[in-house]
């Protein structure tokens, strides 16, 4: 058995990109994946594909901005499998724009999904993992959690916050629960589709010419999970070799 086989893994933002790629990879390696996102049509298709390949998958509609929704999602996973071994807080949005554009609604959306969504995942999952005296949080940040560029100030602020939250959580939970941050560089995903500002959208299209596939990030997540319980991989940065 690998360090992944048989583990119950919940994934938010699982309908596309990194979430989808991670679900497929972990299911191939024997995990029981429980997938959440707002687009249930995509989740249904993904779960069907995983099951057709011999994997174990369930799904439930999920809006990470709603605390009760996240709690119900965790309860669903535990009811299906009796426990939760890994919680991957992956849901995110990236509507970039210069601050002077005052796209306050988009700022709020990034805060609600990228930051509050992770907090809701921690709030719902931590009591479960503490009661089990085992488990792992994997929180998806970004290279934007390590550097700031124009148009990305609010996005980067949320991703810096994910790293801070994760480090605080790691220090508080002690030796029973592992905490990992994954910081992807330029990765093929639908994040750029949420950019409404024309200038920022064009700049991101150029920036993404060197993007790596989401499967590269999925492999880093699998690496963190498959380590022995006494090995806590705290942070992994994965980016294209050609990324500046």
């Amino acid at each position: 058995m690998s360090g992944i086989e048989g583990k119950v893994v919940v994934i938010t933002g699982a309908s596309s990109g990194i979430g989808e790629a991670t679900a497929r990879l972990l299911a191939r390696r024997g995990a029981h994946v429980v997938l959440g996102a707002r687009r249930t049509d995509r989740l249904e298709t993904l779960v069907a594909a995983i099951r057709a390949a011999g994997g174990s998958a369930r799904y439930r509609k999920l809006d990470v901005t709603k605390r009760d929704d996240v709690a119900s999602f965790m309860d669903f996973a535990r009811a299906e499998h009796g426990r939760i071994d890994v919680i991957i807080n992956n849901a995110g949005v990236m509507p970039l724009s210069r601050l002077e554009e005052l796209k306050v609604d988009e700022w709020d959306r990034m805060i609600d999904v990228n930051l509050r969504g992770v907090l809701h995942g921690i709030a719902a999952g931590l009591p479960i993992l503490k009661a089990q005296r085992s488990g792992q949080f994997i929180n998806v940040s970004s290279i934007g959690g390590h550097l700031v560029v124009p148009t990305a100030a609010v996005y980067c602020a949320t991703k810096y916050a994910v790293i801070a939250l994760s480090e605080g959580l790691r220090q508080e939970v002690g030796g029973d629960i592992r905490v990992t941050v994954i910081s992807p560089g330029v990765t093929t995903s639908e994040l750029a589709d949420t950019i409404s500002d024309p200038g920022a959208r064009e700049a991101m299209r150029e920036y993404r010419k060197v993007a790596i596939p989401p499967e590269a990030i999925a492999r880093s997540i699998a690496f963190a999970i498959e380590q022995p319980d006494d090995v806590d991989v705290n942070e992994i940065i994965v980016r294209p070799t050609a990324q500046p």
Side-chain angles (χ1 to χ4, degrees), residues 1-9 11 20-33 50-51 53-57 86 138 214-227 236:
M1 290 180 64
S2 72
I4 293 172
E5 188 172 354
K7 285 191 173 180
V8 179
V9 182
I11 306 174
E20 177 184 353
T22 301
R24 291 180 184 274
L25 176 61
L26 297 182
R28 285 199 304 270
R29 296 195 183 181
H32 305 287
V33 296
I50 289 172
R51 290 178 175 174
S56 170
V86 184
I138 297 181
E215 289 77 12
I217 313 304
R219 290 192 296 271
S220 70
I221 291 173
F223 172 80
I225 294 172
E226 68 187 359
Q227 301 307 304
I236 303 176

Side-chain angles (χ1 to χ4, degrees), residues 7-199:
K7 285 191 173 180
V8 179
V9 182
V10 301
I11 306 174
T12 72
S15 60
S16 65
I18 292 170
E20 177 184 353
T22 301
R24 291 180 184 274
L25 176 61
L26 297 182
R28 285 199 304 270
R29 296 195 183 181
H32 305 287
V33 296
V34 182
L35 312 179
R38 290 176 301 157
R39 297 177 293 185
T40 54
D41 56 332
R42 292 198 177 192
L43 290 179
E44 184 176 1
T45 300
L46 175 58
V47 165
I50 289 172
R51 290 178 175 174
S56 170
R58 303 283 190 277
Y59 78 90
R60 182 184 175 94
K61 186 175 183 179
L62 173 65
D63 182 345
V64 298
T65 69
K66 299 177 180 178
R67 182 180 176 185
D68 289 347
D69 214 19
V70 179
S72 296
F73 175 60
M74 299 293 179
D75 288 343
F76 168 74
R78 186 165 56 165
E80 288 289 311
H81 296 290
R83 61 182 293 107
I84 296 174
D85 296 300
V86 184
I87 296 169
I88 303 177
N89 289 308
N90 167 71
V93 294
M94 191 182 67
L96 306 182
S97 63
R98 299 182 69 86
L99 291 171
E100 64 189 17
E101 297 295 330
L102 300 180
K103 292 180 178 285
V104 178
D105 289 344
E106 293 184 356
W107 302 350
D108 289 342
R109 181 65 178 163
M110 282 186 279
I111 292 168
D112 285 344
V113 176
N114 300 354
L115 178 53
R116 204 181 307 278
V118 174
L119 284 166
H120 288 166
I122 293 170
L126 186 55
I128 296 171
L129 301 193
K130 286 186 70 175
Q132 295 173 174
R133 298 186 63 84
S134 68
Q136 183 175 17
F137 284 99
I138 297 181
N139 300 326
V140 178
S141 179
S142 168
I143 195 65
H146 297 265
L147 57 88
V148 182
V149 296
T151 74
V154 178
Y155 176 76
C156 291
T158 64
K159 293 303 187 176
Y160 269 81
V162 169
I163 293 174
L165 279 173
S166 301
E167 175 59 12
L169 178 62
R170 183 193 69 80
Q171 294 181 29
E172 291 182 10
V173 295
D176 295 329
I177 299 169
R178 301 189 294 171
V179 181
T180 300
V181 177
I182 305 292
S183 293
V186 185
T187 305
T188 303
S189 73
E190 296 180 355
L191 277 179
D193 296 343
T194 65
I195 301 175
S196 64
D197 181 80

